[in-house]
């Protein structure tokens, strides 16, 4: 048997109302009790019990008292019998619950995409939203394999929708997509090669690969030790990112987790790998990388500047202290005194 719900849970979920009690008039004994517990389990969990072991003992006792049947009678009720299946069909007609159809599957996927496309990507949260919507629509959950298929399809379509939305924003910015593609097709600091240039994509692109790899590597690289050179390198890196000119609101309303996932894909991909993506996907991944790196580089510059100023102050203080001590310990007329 399942675990006890406790008094509050039993009263809230397993108390029959007047209409439900009326549905039991033609039933007696184990059939009456089995029908009642299936009904209340359905309204509690959004599905029918698969076996007697799923039922909380205190809930069975509570329902048994209400229908006037001993709780032990439930042992004579077979939840896999044709009678139990007929009872479930009758309960669907009475309550409005129904089994999940192909049309329901399509609607559920569409609903999930509308809810999660701009932010949520955690599977457990998507699953919770799916179960909540099925309960709201009085749909009995399908098999575990079908639930997983719904979640995978929704996540895939949600990502496609988010990519399309951001790609459209990038396309509206003048020359932004061309400069993003230049990061993986040629060195943006040199002569531009159009993405459609097959010689740069399909031919011998060793030189271009070295150039683009160095540019992307510079953008991805983290700063070294605190020094003037590190500060200048980060300033140069920030200039390279800003030169792309992607819109400030390109990722407005897009969740941090989504942008982070895109950035991770771009960071893990080489220029030659990024070239194989569809243009919209490639541009969004690169924009996500630049968007987050711009913030990180700015924060790094602030930290480097503070550290550099502190180091300058420490060195200046040390130098002044040494000069003061030297002046303080200087003995005037020392040669005459020694003589």
């Amino acid at each position: 048997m399942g675990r006890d719900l406790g008094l509050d849970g039993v009263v809230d979920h397993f108390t029959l109302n007047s209409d439900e009690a009326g549905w039991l008039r033609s039933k007696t004994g184990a059939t009456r009790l089995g029908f009642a517990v299936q009904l209340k389990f359905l309204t509690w969990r959004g599905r029918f019990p698969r076996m007697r072991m799923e039922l909380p003992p205190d809930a069975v006792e509570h329902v048994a008292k209400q229908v006037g049947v001993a709780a032990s009678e439930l042992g004579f009720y077979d939840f896999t019998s044709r009678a139990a299946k007929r009872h479930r069909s009758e309960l669907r007609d009475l309550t409005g619950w129904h089994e999940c159809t192909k049309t329901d599957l399509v609607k559920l996927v569409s609903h999930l995409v509308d809810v999660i496309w701009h932010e949520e990507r955690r599977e457990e949260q998507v699953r919770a939203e799916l179960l909540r919507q099925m309960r709201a629509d009085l749909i009995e959950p399908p098999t575990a394999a079908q639930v997983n298929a719904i979640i995978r399809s929704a996540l895939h379509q949600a990502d496609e929708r988010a990519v399309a939305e951001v790609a459209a924003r990038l396309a509206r910015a003048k020359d932004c997509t061309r400069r993003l593609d230049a990061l993986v097709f040629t060195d943006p600091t040199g002569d531009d090669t159009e993405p459609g240039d097959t010689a740069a994509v399909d031919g011998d692109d060793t030189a271009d690969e070295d150039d683009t790899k160095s540019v992307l590597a510079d953008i991805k690289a983290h700063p070294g030790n605190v020094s003037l050179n590190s500060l200048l390198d980060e300033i140069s890196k920030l200039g390279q990112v800003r030169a792309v000119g992607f819109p400030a609101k390109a990722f407005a309303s897009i969740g941090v987790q989504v942008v982070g996932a895109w950035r991770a894909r771009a960071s893990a991909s080489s220029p030659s790998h990024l070239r194989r993506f569809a243009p919209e996907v490639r541009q969004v991944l690169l924009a996500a990388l630049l968007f987050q790196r711009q913030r990180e580089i700015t924060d790094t510059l602030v930290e480097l500047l503070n550290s550099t100023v502190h180091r300058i102050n420490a060195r200046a203080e040390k130098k002044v202290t040494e000069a003061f001590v030297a002046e303080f310990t200087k003995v005037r007329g020392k040669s005459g005194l020694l003589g």
Side-chain angles (χ1 to χ4, degrees):
M1 298 288 282
R3 290 188 295 180
D4 288 341
L5 284 181
L7 180 60
D8 291 340
V10 166
V11 172
D12 290 342
H13 301 296
F14 284 87
T15 299
L16 295 165
N17 58 39
S18 57
D19 290 336
E20 293 169 343
W23 298 341
L24 303 172
R25 291 194 184 100
S26 61
K27 297 175 175 58
T28 60
T31 299
R32 183 181 178 88
L33 180 56
F35 187 90
V37 295
Q38 284 208 94
L39 166 62
K40 298 314 296 181
F41 192 92
L42 173 65
T43 58
W44 174 44
R45 298 293 299 275
R47 62 176 178 84
F48 290 107
R50 302 181 185 90
M51 60 184 70
R52 183 168 177 262
M53 299 298 293
E54 289 186 295
L55 298 168
D58 55 352
V60 174
E61 290 284 350
H62 183 66
V63 174
K65 290 178 182 178
Q66 295 175 80
V67 301
V69 177
S72 59
E73 289 290 318
L74 191 62
F76 299 101
Y77 187 84
D78 185 0
F79 286 90
T80 62
S81 65
R82 285 192 296 179
K85 294 178 181 178
R86 186 173 64 251
H87 291 163
R88 288 195 284 271
S89 179
E90 183 179 348
L91 285 170
R92 291 187 185 104
D93 294 335
L94 292 170
T95 62
W97 284 82
H98 62 280
E99 294 180 290
C100 189
T101 64
K102 291 183 178 180
T103 302
D104 290 327
L105 293 177
V106 174
K107 290 181 178 179
L108 289 169
V109 170
S110 178
H111 168 77
L112 287 177
V113 172
D114 290 339
V115 172
I116 71 175
W117 75 269
H118 62 287
E119 185 171 3
E120 188 57 67
R121 289 296 186 274
R122 292 171 295 178
E123 185 173 324
E124 62 274 13
Q125 296 298 326
V126 178
R127 186 183 300 275
E129 174 59 27
L130 173 61
L131 296 177
R132 187 203 65 77
Q133 186 60 32
M134 285 193 292
R135 188 178 186 86
D137 293 341
L138 302 182
I139 301 173
E140 296 175 46
T143 63
Q146 287 178 310
V147 169
N148 291 334
I150 292 172
I151 293 173
R152 287 195 302 268
S153 178
L155 288 172
H156 177 70
Q157 292 184 36
D159 191 66
E160 288 184 336
R161 181 168 171 179
V163 167
E165 176 68 22
V166 176
R169 296 174 186 174
L170 296 174
R172 289 193 290 269
K174 184 179 179 181
D175 291 336
C176 178
T177 55
R178 181 183 62 80
R179 288 190 289 267
L180 284 169
D181 281 333
L183 288 173
V184 294
F185 284 98
T186 186
D187 184 357
T189 62
D191 295 334
D192 289 343
T193 301
E194 293 298 327
D197 188 350
T198 56
V201 178
D202 300 325
D204 184 9
D205 58 355
T206 304
D208 282 349
E209 184 72 16
D210 291 340
D211 290 337
T212 58
K213 188 177 294 184
S214 64
V215 172
L216 284 179
D218 286 343
I219 293 175
K220 296 176 184 179
H222 293 285
N225 297 328
V226 178
S227 67
L228 180 59
N229 288 335
S230 295
L231 189 63
L232 295 176
D233 288 342
E234 291 302 297
I235 293 174
S236 174
K237 193 184 302 180
L238 184 60
Q240 289 178 324
V241 173
R242 289 179 173 175
V244 176
F246 59 87
K249 296 184 178 180
F251 297 98
S253 76
I254 305 296
V256 176
Q257 291 180 343
V258 180
V259 179
W262 289 339
R263 178 257 179 89
R265 289 177 64 187
S267 298
S269 302
S270 65
S272 59
H273 188 198
L274 287 167
R275 292 173 189 173
R276 301 189 186 102
F277 289 115
E280 293 81 5
V281 176
R282 177 177 61 248
Q283 292 156 10
V284 170
L285 296 184
L286 288 170
L289 172 63
L290 298 182
F291 175 74
Q292 291 202 336
R293 285 298 293 144
Q294 177 172 295
R295 294 185 172 188
E296 293 169 356
I297 293 170
T298 303
D299 292 341
T300 300
L301 277 171
V302 173
E303 294 176 1
L304 285 174
L305 183 60
N306 287 335
S307 299
T308 302
V309 170
H310 290 159
R311 178 170 291 188
I312 291 174
N313 288 338
R315 289 182 177 178
E317 184 178 350
K318 181 180 179 182
K319 186 174 182 180
V320 170
T321 301
E322 289 176 349
F324 178 77
V325 171
E327 182 66 22
F328 182 77
T329 56
K330 184 177 180 180
V331 179
R332 299 186 182 281
K334 181 178 179 181
S335 299
L337 292 174
L338 291 175

